[in-house]
Amino acid sequence: KIDSGTTFSFTIPYGYSLTESQSYFAGKDSKDYGAMLLGKKFLVAEDNEVNQKVIRHVLKKAGGTVEIANNGAEAVAILQQNANYDLIIMDLQMPEMDGYAATQFIRQEMQLSIPIIAMTASALKGERAKCLEIGMNDYLSKPFDFNYLYQRIHQLLSNAKPIKITHMPNEKDSGEKPFDLSQLEAMDDNDYVAEILTAIFSNIPRDLAMLKKACVSQDFAVIGKIAHKLKGSAGIIQANGLIKILLKIDEFSRAENNEGLAILADQAGEAYKKIESPLKEYLKNISSGNKISI
């Protein structure tokens, strides 16, 4: 028909966001993170070898450069030589100088304003408030979800308005699985997963043997330190059964309650033995280029 137009119809998919600012990371998978932190320098203060490997890989995956300090004293010494870092990730419980003392020195003595993210495997009541009070800028519990870590780093470095989050990524139901490698697998790098598992096979049995010895001798200070370290390693593979026992051991050590400590140490060893074989089988398969469901 002359002078009549053509009618087109189309639909645009959309959704509502409950956040108050745009989420830079929404909809991305691990393959998209290559340049997110490009040019950014990070100082990581962490005494657990497994956690060091995890955090280093996660930051480097997004383009960052990473310097590792094995405790708070090393972190302070590094900063005294060169304070040109964009962000510090600080474990709270470390030998020689813990994260609290290191942060207080950095803020009060060195007068540095570099953003500091606290990381801890303990998540004690009042810990977050204490961290913020002494000058830390954020607080994350281990094991951390790498997407969430990227988001928090982005917000700190860009001074973006914090996004309201009603569910912390690492607050998951324990479910029936004795362990869960989803956080490691999310990095989409079998060599990385193999490196972390190899470190776990070396570190956890050694630390469990030390824990048993400390429990037998009732050395409560040492028990607490080793249990904390083990929680960090077990958290990476989300070995919830082992973590529950370690939490109980930590609780007993804080109360200086020696009743049943040695038994709990044995239970921790048994919990690890239950997951060691399937984890080694998983490692064998990814090392040969296969992937199995566990």
Side-chain angles (χ1 to χ4, degrees):
K1 185 177 178 180
I2 299 176
D3 296 329
S4 65
T6 302
T7 301
F8 297 93
S9 63
F10 58 90
T11 59
I12 301 176
Y14 69 95
Y16 293 102
S17 171
L18 298 178
T19 65
E20 295 185 5
S21 61
Q22 183 180 5
S23 176
Y24 181 73
F25 308 98
K28 292 180 176 287
D29 62 28
S30 59
K31 296 179 182 178
D32 297 321
Y33 292 126
M36 236 173 239
L37 303 178
L38 191 63
K40 302 299 182 184
K41 292 181 63 179
F42 298 88
L43 176 60
V44 176
E46 167 65 65
D47 66 316
N48 186 317
E49 180 191 349
V50 176
N51 287 331
Q52 288 176 356
K53 292 179 181 293
V54 170
I55 298 172
R56 183 195 293 275
H57 185 88
V58 168
L59 295 175
K60 289 181 71 175
K61 184 86 170 180
T65 58
V66 184
E67 180 80 16
I68 298 289
N70 292 296
N71 54 60
E74 280 191 19
V76 167
I78 289 170
L79 290 169
Q80 287 174 328
Q81 294 294 319
N82 176 20
N84 186 28
Y85 290 91
D86 295 286
L87 188 137
I88 300 168
I89 293 177
M90 184 79 72
D91 186 33
L92 295 181
Q93 296 188 33
M94 294 180 289
E96 295 190 45
M97 179 184 279
D98 64 23
Y100 297 112
T103 298
Q104 288 177 317
F105 191 90
I106 291 166
R107 294 292 188 239
Q108 296 173 14
E109 301 298 325
M110 301 183 71
Q111 296 289 303
L112 296 177
S113 59
I114 304 169
I116 300 176
I117 297 179
M119 279 197 175
T120 179
S122 56
L124 299 174
K125 184 177 181 181
E127 197 170 54
R128 179 184 179 87
K130 182 179 178 181
C131 289
L132 298 178
E133 183 180 344
I134 65 172
M136 293 182 175
N137 303 84
D138 208 342
Y139 173 98
L140 297 179
S141 296
K142 294 182 281 193
F144 60 88
D145 179 281
F146 78 96
N147 291 293
Y148 186 66
L149 176 63
Y150 288 152
Q151 185 184 79
R152 304 311 292 175
I153 290 174
H154 170 69
Q155 288 168 359
L156 282 173
L157 296 184
S158 65
N159 294 313
K161 191 173 182 180
I163 293 174
K164 289 183 178 179
I165 296 176
T166 58
H167 178 74
M168 294 287 285
N170 58 332
E171 293 176 350
K172 297 180 181 179
D173 296 329
S174 60
E176 298 297 324
K177 291 184 177 181
F179 60 87
D180 184 348
L181 301 181
S182 58
Q183 290 191 19
L184 292 178
E185 290 176 334
M187 296 306 290
D188 194 31
D189 186 335
N190 280 351
D191 290 339
Y192 160 66
V193 176
E195 180 184 3
I196 299 304
L197 289 180
T198 300
I200 282 174
F201 297 145
S202 172
N203 291 0
I204 289 185
R206 180 198 63 207
D207 292 339
L208 284 171
M210 293 171 60
L211 180 65
K212 176 63 184 291
K213 184 177 179 181
C215 285
V216 170
S217 63
Q218 298 175 25
D219 190 336
F220 297 112
V222 172
I223 291 168
K225 290 177 181 178
I226 299 175
H228 173 80
K229 186 177 181 181
L230 279 164
K231 280 186 292 179
S233 299
I236 290 167
I237 56 174
Q238 301 180 64
N240 295 304
L242 176 55
I243 291 169
K244 286 179 181 178
I245 299 169
L246 293 169
L247 287 169
K248 196 70 176 175
I249 291 173
D250 193 29
E251 179 187 328
F252 276 38
S253 70
R254 290 177 188 279
E256 297 192 353
N257 178 3
N258 63 353
E259 187 176 351
L261 261 178
I263 294 173
L264 284 170
D266 286 335
Q267 291 176 352
E270 291 300 319
Y272 172 71
K273 286 178 182 177
K274 288 180 181 178
I275 65 175
E276 187 178 42
S277 292
L279 282 172
K280 286 185 174 180
E281 185 65 23
Y282 180 89
L283 174 60
K284 179 181 176 182
N285 276 273
I286 63 170
S287 298
S288 62
N290 300 320
K291 188 162 180 185
I292 57 173
S293 241
I294 49 176

